[in-house]
Amino acid sequence: MTLRPEVDVHAAEYMRLLGYPRDFMPTGRANELAEWARQWYASHGRPWVYTREIESLELADGTVRLDGVPFSSKRLHMTLEEAHAHSAVLVAVSAGPEAEEFAQQLWRDEKPDEYFFLEVFGSAVVEHLTTTSGARLCGWAEERQMAVLPHYSPGYAGWDIGEQGRLLESIGHAMPGPLQVLSSGALLPKKSLLAVFGLTRHVDRVRRLTDLVPCENCSFSPCQYRRVPYRRARRGVSELPVVSPMERPAYSVNGKALKRWAAERLTMEEHADGTIEARFRYDGTTCTNLGRPLAFDYVVRLGPRDEGYPIREQRCSPTPGDTGHTQMCQYLANADQLMDSIGREKPLLGQPLDEVCS
């Protein structure tokens, strides 16, 4: 199914992507730029959505087969398995090439402010299209006594972005706009997304397992099928487990986000001498060069518990095999200086973990 949807990006979501605090609305020049980007896209943007329900879904040995095509994602496999999913819908969304092409022209014309606001609005359009696609699927599934699961995409934690091309082939070729996969796995136009929405007939099971309810990540406020509140709309910080002997830290980041990052991006290994090595993977993109994907590993080694978990080692470096970092502006300007600066950045070395978190 192909849609040429109308786009009505919620102001709160656009402000969030711009980096403003919750409930803050810009004034003056920033407000003018935000409205300019919205109006420019309304006049020139050509967004589209394409969906296809697959005929068969198989789960075996950590592999997900969609119409017989294998994909290796433990996270997607776990989500589909826990919900007893029987099928899935493949979705492609795109904000179109118009905004990013014009944004690049703005950058060449030395108009970084206009470039930034239009770039971010393009990202907001992709989020909006994905959210509204999920809402439409929820309505479609509800009529058939089914439930839709949270979407997952190549490039998310636990799913190699290199499988993006295979997913695009599985979705099909009759799309209403241009879309291709680069050798890096990134999409062109870059303001696009491929996603898998699982389907299950076990509606009660989904309602019991909150991690399987897409509503917590869905900002589509008028949806009549909402089962739980949109988590980003809630104030405050969720409770996190206490790690003795530390005091509970007052995190400024939403607890739900921390839990998700811990589940998807963090690995911890405890050694025989009581030390712990924690590794966090950061996935991002460059701001130019068509948004090349890049990945960095942050590694922290902690001393034993009886010493208060002192930070004995810190390091940050590109994930093995990553080449996207070589396209960063600072790397292109002075690669040695950038990498040396990253290598020397160890501000918390030697401090006990409870002091760091306080």
Side-chain angles (χ1 to χ4, degrees), residues 63-293:
T63 298
V64 178
R65 290 184 176 272
L66 306 174
D67 278 351
V69 180
F71 296 91
S72 300
S73 170
K74 292 182 179 179
R75 178 74 178 183
L76 177 63
H77 185 282
M78 178 185 69
T79 299
L80 297 174
E81 186 175 54
E82 286 184 352
H84 297 304
H86 66 280
S87 184
V89 175
L90 309 184
V91 176
V93 305
S94 178
E98 297 80 15
E100 63 188 72
E101 289 175 357
F102 187 55
Q104 290 297 321
Q105 183 60 52
L106 291 169
W107 182 265
R108 290 191 292 269
D109 292 343
E110 299 184 355
K111 296 181 178 180
D113 294 343
E114 289 83 353
Y115 162 85
F116 174 72
F117 276 81
L118 188 56
E119 274 278 296
V120 173
F121 192 79
S123 298
V125 170
V126 174
E127 283 202 5
H128 175 78
L129 294 176
T130 306
T131 295
T132 53
S133 296
R136 291 190 187 95
L137 288 174
C138 283
W140 173 84
E142 192 88 1
E143 295 174 355
R144 294 162 176 76
Q145 290 76 52
M146 296 188 296
V148 176
L149 305 177
H151 77 275
Y152 218 65
S153 303
Y156 285 18
W159 193 353
D160 186 356
I161 196 172
E163 294 191 347
Q164 190 111 262
R166 199 181 306 162
L167 183 58
L168 181 60
E169 289 286 331
S170 299
I171 293 176
H173 300 281
M175 296 184 186
L179 187 61
Q180 60 179 298
V181 179
L182 303 177
S183 59
S184 63
L187 295 173
L188 187 67
K190 66 179 179 180
K191 303 301 183 184
S192 306
L193 181 79
L194 307 180
V196 176
F197 288 84
L199 295 173
T200 179
R201 297 188 182 93
H202 297 265
V203 178
D204 291 337
R205 182 175 180 82
V206 170
R207 286 173 176 156
R208 290 196 305 272
L209 299 174
T210 57
D211 286 345
L212 300 181
V213 180
C215 306
E216 288 191 346
N217 301 315
C218 178
S219 63
F220 189 61
S221 56
C223 182
Q224 60 181 310
Y225 304 103
R226 182 170 297 282
R227 296 188 176 93
V228 297
Y230 176 40
R231 183 59 72 98
R232 279 183 187 150
R234 294 173 56 183
R235 295 186 179 275
V237 178
S238 302
E239 293 295 308
L240 294 174
V242 176
V243 182
S244 181
M246 296 167 53
E247 295 294 327
R248 184 187 305 277
Y251 290 109
S252 60
V253 178
N254 181 274
K256 179 70 174 182
L258 290 175
K259 288 180 180 179
R260 180 175 179 180
W261 293 342
E264 298 177 356
R265 297 180 175 274
L266 178 69
T267 59
M268 298 181 66
E269 182 180 359
E270 186 169 0
H271 300 281
D273 60 358
T275 60
I276 298 173
E277 183 173 289
R279 181 181 298 269
F280 181 86
R281 172 164 171 157
Y282 168 77
D283 290 288
T285 60
T286 60
C287 58
T288 57
N289 303 315
L290 300 177
R292 301 288 181 87

Side-chain angles (χ1 to χ4, degrees), residues 339-357:
M339 302 313 293
D340 181 63
S341 176
I342 292 174
R344 289 186 286 104
E345 184 72 9
K346 305 177 188 295
L348 307 174
L349 193 63
Q351 298 184 42
L353 199 55
D354 57 349
E355 290 185 13
V356 172
C357 290

Side-chain angles (χ1 to χ4, degrees), residues 7-26 29-41 99 112-128 191 219 230 232:
V7 173
D8 183 18
V9 173
H10 293 185
E13 293 302 296
Y14 185 25
M15 293 302 107
R16 176 181 61 81
L17 290 177
L18 285 169
Y20 288 111
R22 187 194 302 272
D23 299 330
F24 176 84
M25 294 303 294
R29 171 71 169 159
N31 184 58
E32 291 175 4
L33 286 168
E35 286 304 311
W36 167 82
R38 184 184 292 273
Q39 291 172 14
W40 188 96
Y41 188 84
D113 294 343
E114 289 83 353
Y115 162 85
F116 174 72
F117 276 81
L118 188 56
E119 274 278 296
V120 173
F121 192 79
S123 298
V125 170
V126 174
E127 283 202 5
H128 175 78
K191 303 301 183 184
S219 63
Y230 176 40
R232 279 183 187 150

